[in-house]
Amino acid sequence: ALLSQPAGRLRARRGLAVRPEMHFGFQTVTEEERREKINQVFESVAKKYDVMNDSMTLGIHRVWKDILMHKMNPSPGTLLLDVAGGTGDIAFRFINYVRSVRERQLQKKLKHHQNLSWQEIFESYQNDKFNSLGDSQVVVCDINREMLKVGKQKAQHLGYSEGLSWVLGNAEELPFDNDKFDVYTIAFGIRNVTRIDLALQEAYRVLKPGGRFLCLEFSHVSNPLLSRLYDLYSFQVIPVLGEVIAGDWKSYQYLVESIRQFPPQEELKAMIEDVGFFKVDYVNLNFGIVAIHSGFKL
């Protein structure tokens, strides 16, 4: 999915229990209200999500996701958990990437067996072909039923079934065992979790020792001139596109505001380190419009 600050300031109200204040875009709301509002946003945008991503980013989001996959560089046998990945963009790329690695391995193997008979080569090729992912699996976990529904329909339409499963679940309380996955990805999703710190703890928990955390997210542009132009585009153009394409001004206004409320690169890096990840770094893409954060569980 394309948050804001974790529970920040606390507000005491005339002797009532102290409740955490949170951001929903530029509004201040309680944790429960925020969760409900974000759920409504994604229910509302699910069907037009892909079209809007292409329109808002002029298609560049596809390149950013490709870069994420190359940075991951998964090998056959990798077990990936993609959180907030309801529409399947990361999952499908992962399957394609692993298949092409397998294909190259297979060609190499056949080259080394020039002296085999045609029958032996054919049988070896058929056996390997049936296992085109080399036991790789991707589990897509999303909190929103509508987004998962759209992803499943896309998978069916594009012919992805092998090595792919869909799970309804909350990033802050994942329905998986400890030390289970080789890689955890979250692309344009961590902004929309209510408590980033809890989501990061859960990412750490479900990764195997040696496992890798990768997060692709809108971030902060440091160049002042570019930042002004980006603000103009974000606040003047994106909500209008939302209205024209998806008939939904408010949801896209929220998405823009949520980007501005999100912690900058160094702050998010510190949060990732705080939960125990090592070798945490980030790469800015397009001057920091987005960043890829990476860390390892040792």
Side-chain angles (χ1 to χ4, degrees):
L2 261 187
L3 150 110
S4 305
Q5 262 43 332
R9 304 184 305 282
L10 293 173
R11 164 176 57 176
R13 293 197 294 184
R14 292 201 208 98
L16 295 177
V18 174
R19 299 177 74 184
E21 280 188 347
M22 319 217 70
H23 294 291
F24 174 76
F26 292 162
Q27 298 173 42
T28 302
V29 294
T30 66
E31 217 171 282
E32 302 81 61
E33 286 169 340
R34 186 171 193 285
R35 227 173 238 123
E36 184 49 40
K37 281 175 177 287
I38 287 173
N39 203 37
Q40 285 166 2
V41 165
F42 286 96
E43 295 262 304
S44 166
V45 304
K47 288 189 176 65
K48 296 282 185 178
Y49 190 75
D50 289 333
V51 181
M52 273 304 298
N53 278 354
D54 281 335
S55 311
M56 287 191 310
T57 68
L58 311 174
I60 298 167
H61 75 101
R62 295 167 183 268
V63 178
W64 295 333
K65 288 165 183 169
D66 288 340
I67 293 169
L68 177 72
M69 198 48 58
H70 281 278
K71 200 167 165 58
M72 186 196 304
N73 189 19
S75 51
T78 300
L79 187 56
L80 168 66
L81 174 63
D82 183 38
V83 175
T87 57
D89 276 9
I90 301 301
F92 305 152
R93 279 173 172 76
F94 171 78
I95 290 170
N96 292 347
Y97 195 98
V98 171
R99 273 185 185 154
S100 68
V101 171
R102 280 282 290 170
E103 190 63 34
R104 284 200 299 277
Q105 286 177 348
L106 191 53
Q107 309 242 316
K108 215 168 166 186
K109 189 170 135 190
L110 291 178
K111 257 188 198 147
H112 287 300
H113 294 91
Q114 298 285 7
N115 54 348
L116 291 180
S117 72
W118 177 85
Q119 185 64 31
E120 287 167 323
I121 289 174
F122 178 75
E123 280 167 11
S124 161
Y125 187 76
Q126 286 301 102
N127 291 340
D128 284 324
K129 205 167 175 225
F130 281 125
N131 189 7
S132 70
L133 287 175
D135 300 322
S136 291
Q137 288 275 332
V138 52
V139 178
V140 179
C141 180
D142 202 296
I143 198 169
N144 192 287
R145 275 179 206 282
E146 277 304 305
M147 295 290 276
L148 282 172
K149 203 165 110 186
V150 170
K152 284 179 186 173
Q153 285 166 350
K154 261 170 76 180
Q156 213 171 357
H157 176 67
L158 297 167
Y160 293 102
S161 58
E162 180 200 9
L164 175 61
S165 47
W166 306 85
V167 175
L168 186 71
N170 183 348
E172 298 165 52
E173 208 178 334
L174 292 169
F176 306 108
D177 294 340
N178 298 351
D179 308 330
K180 185 173 170 65
F181 296 95
D182 300 303
V183 185
Y184 170 111
T185 50
I186 185 163
F188 303 116
I190 206 159
R191 253 182 23 262
N192 303 304
V193 303
T194 303
R195 293 273 306 274
I196 301 181
D197 53 342
L198 294 184
L200 292 172
Q201 282 168 26
E202 281 292 87
Y204 189 85
R205 180 183 69 78
V206 301
L207 278 169
K208 294 174 183 172
R212 188 172 191 189
F213 168 86
L214 284 165
C215 168
L216 171 64
E217 188 51 88
F218 287 111
S219 206
H220 286 245
V221 177
S222 51
N223 179 305
L225 176 63
L226 189 63
S227 184
R228 277 206 295 280
L229 288 171
Y230 181 43
D231 272 353
L232 266 174
Y233 174 73
S234 299
F235 287 100
Q236 305 300 323
V237 179
I238 288 177
V240 176
L241 284 174
E243 184 58 42
V244 171
I245 293 169
D248 190 343
W249 178 291
K250 269 166 59 181
S251 293
Y252 287 93
Q253 181 74 21
Y254 155 72
L255 289 175
V256 170
E257 291 174 3
S258 72
I259 293 168
R260 296 306 179 275
Q261 295 287 12
F262 190 68
Q265 289 87 326
E266 283 294 330
E267 211 177 298
L268 183 59
K269 181 185 177 194
M271 292 173 82
I272 297 167
E273 287 170 337
D274 283 348
V275 302
F277 284 106
F278 286 88
K279 221 171 155 260
V280 178
D281 64 11
Y282 62 86
V283 179
N284 284 329
L285 307 177
N286 295 86
F287 306 99
I289 288 176
V290 297
I292 297 175
H293 281 74
S294 164
F296 292 88
K297 173 176 175 175
L298 297 180

